Amino acid sequence: MNEVRIKKLNEKAVVPTYGSPFSAGADLYACEEAPVTIEPGKFVLIHTGLSFEIPEGFAGLIFARSGLATKRGLAPANKVGVIDADYRGEVMVSLFNQSGVPQTVEPGERVAQMVITPFLKADFTVSDELSDTVRGSGGFGSTGTK
């Protein structure tokens, strides 16, 4: 286990939890004073009441909770949120309602999951040529569908 320090910005904030011993993502909880209704096709920023001290060389990636997305149509509006190691503000989840009916998020409800992951910092270099590959410049769907 690696330590990630958190700060509770609200006494009602819930420390992230893992659903099982092998879960990659830790559940983030809504820290709202009252239920929040999200109309179809709209998004709302949901507070977690937490800020994080993510270690240098790591990032927190915010993903949808599969049950919330498939059963109720609620998923992060930006698909994947990125929390950088130098960010110390409150982590909020921009939940988008992709269903056809209003959806209500209750205080204390699990709204997303965060994966803490290492990343490589790229040194981008401009070049006139790139190495050849079998795929080449084949894009969308070029490797087949099966």
Side-chain angles (χ1 to χ4, degrees):
M1 287 276 205
N2 293 303
E3 180 181 71
V4 174
R5 294 174 52 163
I6 62 171
K7 181 178 180 181
K8 281 187 156 192
L9 304 173
N10 182 313
E11 64 183 23
K12 295 179 182 178
V14 177
V15 174
T17 60
Y18 290 96
S20 78
F22 299 105
S23 295
D27 291 326
L28 298 176
Y29 294 79
C31 185
E32 299 291 340
E33 294 300 319
V36 176
T37 298
I38 308 170
E39 296 297 326
K42 302 292 183 186
F43 71 90
V44 172
L45 287 174
I46 302 294
H47 294 265
T48 66
L50 301 171
S51 59
F52 292 77
E53 186 176 314
I54 296 172
E56 184 178 333
F58 290 78
L61 302 181
I62 309 295
F63 294 99
R65 293 193 70 252
S66 59
L68 198 63
T70 56
K71 294 176 183 175
R72 295 179 48 204
L74 294 176
N78 54 345
K79 305 305 178 207
V80 178
V82 178
I83 310 302
D84 297 312
D86 59 350
Y87 177 67
R88 293 294 184 270
E90 181 180 9
V91 168
M92 292 191 283
V93 177
S94 178
L95 270 188
F96 178 72
N97 181 356
Q98 55 196 358
S99 80
V101 296
Q103 296 289 336
T104 300
V105 174
E106 298 291 336
E109 184 175 351
R110 295 176 295 171
V111 292
Q113 58 183 324
M114 181 167 62
V115 175
I116 305 292
T117 186
F119 65 89
L120 299 175
K121 191 85 170 193
D123 183 12
F124 296 102
T125 304
V126 175
S127 176
D128 291 334
E129 298 293 326
L130 301 177
S131 62
D132 289 329
T133 66
V134 173
R135 181 176 182 177
S137 62
F140 301 97
S142 66
T143 61
T145 58
K146 296 186 181 202

